[in-house]
Amino acid sequence: MKGSLYAFLAGGFITLQGVANARISRDIGTWQTAAMTQFTGFIAALFILILVRDGHWKMFSQIRPLYLCGGALGAVIIFSNVTAIHQIGVTLSISFLLIAQLGLTFLVDSNGWFGVSKQKMDRSQFIGIAVMIAGVAILGF
Amino acid sequence: MVLGLIMALMAGSLVCMQNIFNSKVSERAGSWATTVLVLGLGFLASLMIGLAFEGGRLFALHHMQSWYGFSGLIGVGVVICLVQGIRRLGPTYAVSIVLTSQLLFALLWDSLGWFGLTQVPLTFRQILGVLVIIAGVIIFKFSGERRAA
């Protein structure tokens, strides 16, 4: 039960973050918003890391550099998310975002890209994405 | 409309890639070290792209309000809740709930129009659309029990 509450709050925070970024970017600009919010988050996370001490710094050398650079994608994610919310509203933005996210996850898993262990996909995953697209069609058109 | 659509699809594709990369880092380095790295790099990338496009105007924050400086803390809330949710429920259940809740809160924000967003009145069609999308998410996540993200 507690786990469900955490997961529910996580989803709420993710949406809130997009909405807050969209609001802030109107006043100070989108790149400024992306830089400022990630900087605040970075400082806060750094404090927590120092408190909980669960960092395994030596392990970083064993991780492929490509994976370590994933964070840089955050800049473009925030920019495109904010622009989408300005253009088509929160609900449609999140809906399209999730379809792209799960659709690409499906492709990555079935082809074993990026060193992900290759999975055999079944038809019900196609059906899941098709149902999501149907839902967006009901929403938007 | 089309621009917004393309932007949302791009954001989703990048979120997928970032999830994969972050989970690879997190397996070895721990979730907080990963968060520090991800947000630090995201900040640097935003700063550099912003400077490339806008030059010194990047630092002219004319309508700054003090809460803008704290909104980044929401991201820390996301990490805490995600890690706890996945630890207690496992990725399939946790991520299904996260995605569902994202959509429900999106509907809530649109219909309330808080934060100066354009208010979109809540209609039966919208509720139906979101419920159908949630059904799709659940079919997708639970048909592939083995898979995370």
Side-chain angles (χ1 to χ4, degrees):
Chain A
M1 195 57 224
K2 218 171 164 186
S4 311
L5 188 66
Y6 275 118
F8 184 73
L9 280 176
F13 280 143
I14 293 173
T15 299
L16 176 65
Q17 200 170 31
V19 173
N21 286 341
R23 168 70 184 80
I24 296 170
S25 70
R26 280 198 187 158
D27 276 353
I28 65 172
T30 306
W31 294 113
Q32 287 85 341
T33 305
M36 185 183 294
T37 54
Q38 291 184 103
F39 183 72
T40 316
F42 166 73
I43 298 294
L46 194 61
F47 269 114
I48 296 173
L49 177 65
I50 292 166
L51 283 177
V52 300
R53 293 181 202 176
D54 86 335
H56 310 291
W57 298 106
K58 282 181 201 147
M59 302 301 269
F60 273 115
S61 56
Q62 298 173 16
I63 302 170
R64 272 178 65 184
L66 172 70
Y67 301 148
L68 293 175
C69 294
L73 297 175
V76 186
I77 292 172
I78 294 178
F79 180 85
S80 37
N81 194 21
V82 162
T83 311
I85 291 176
H86 283 164
Q87 298 279 330
I88 57 177
V90 191
T91 309
L92 267 184
S93 295
I94 305 267
S95 306
F96 279 120
L97 190 150
L98 293 185
I99 286 176
Q101 186 185 335
L102 294 184
L104 189 59
T105 303
F106 177 80
L107 280 178
V108 169
D109 281 345
S110 52
N111 292 301
W113 291 336
F114 306 117
V116 169
S117 58
K118 201 165 167 174
Q119 316 259 5
K120 241 190 142 187
M121 305 315 249
D122 45 59
R123 204 185 307 152
S124 51
Q125 269 161 326
F126 275 121
I127 298 172
I129 292 177
V131 171
M132 288 174 73
I133 293 171
V136 172
I138 296 172
L139 265 183
F141 305 102
Chain B
M1 174 78 197
V2 179
L3 174 69
L5 199 156
I6 293 169
M7 285 290 164
L9 292 177
M10 183 157 90
S13 310
L14 292 175
V15 167
C16 164
M17 299 200 18
Q18 205 184 39
N19 284 344
I20 294 169
F21 294 171
N22 291 358
S23 72
K24 299 257 181 200
V25 178
S26 184
E27 274 166 19
R28 292 173 189 242
S31 56
W32 285 109
T34 307
T35 308
V36 170
L37 177 78
V38 166
L39 291 175
L41 281 178
F43 161 69
L44 285 178
S46 310
L47 195 67
M48 284 193 290
I49 301 173
L51 275 174
F53 281 121
E54 302 188 11
R57 276 184 298 138
L58 188 71
F59 302 105
L61 305 174
H62 291 304
H63 307 284
M64 180 71 191
Q65 291 182 33
S66 45
W67 72 267
Y68 296 171
F70 295 98
S71 80
L73 299 178
I74 301 169
V76 173
V78 173
V79 176
I80 294 174
C81 293
L82 264 184
V83 169
Q84 290 295 326
I86 290 175
R87 190 172 292 164
R88 283 157 206 261
L89 301 174
T92 305
Y93 276 98
V95 174
S96 304
I97 295 173
V98 171
L99 302 180
T100 301
S101 142
Q102 264 179 272
L103 280 165
L104 292 177
F105 275 98
L107 205 56
L108 185 73
W109 283 109
D110 265 342
S111 55
L112 292 172
W114 285 351
F115 279 178
L117 289 175
T118 321
Q119 194 169 3
V120 184
L122 190 65
T123 59
F124 173 72
R125 201 168 85 152
Q126 275 191 312
I127 297 171
L128 183 70
V130 166
L131 288 179
V132 171
I133 298 173
I134 291 170
V137 169
I138 291 170
I139 294 171
F140 183 90
K141 291 308 292 185
F142 284 87
S143 60
E145 270 278 24
R146 303 135 283 169
R147 172 173 322 103

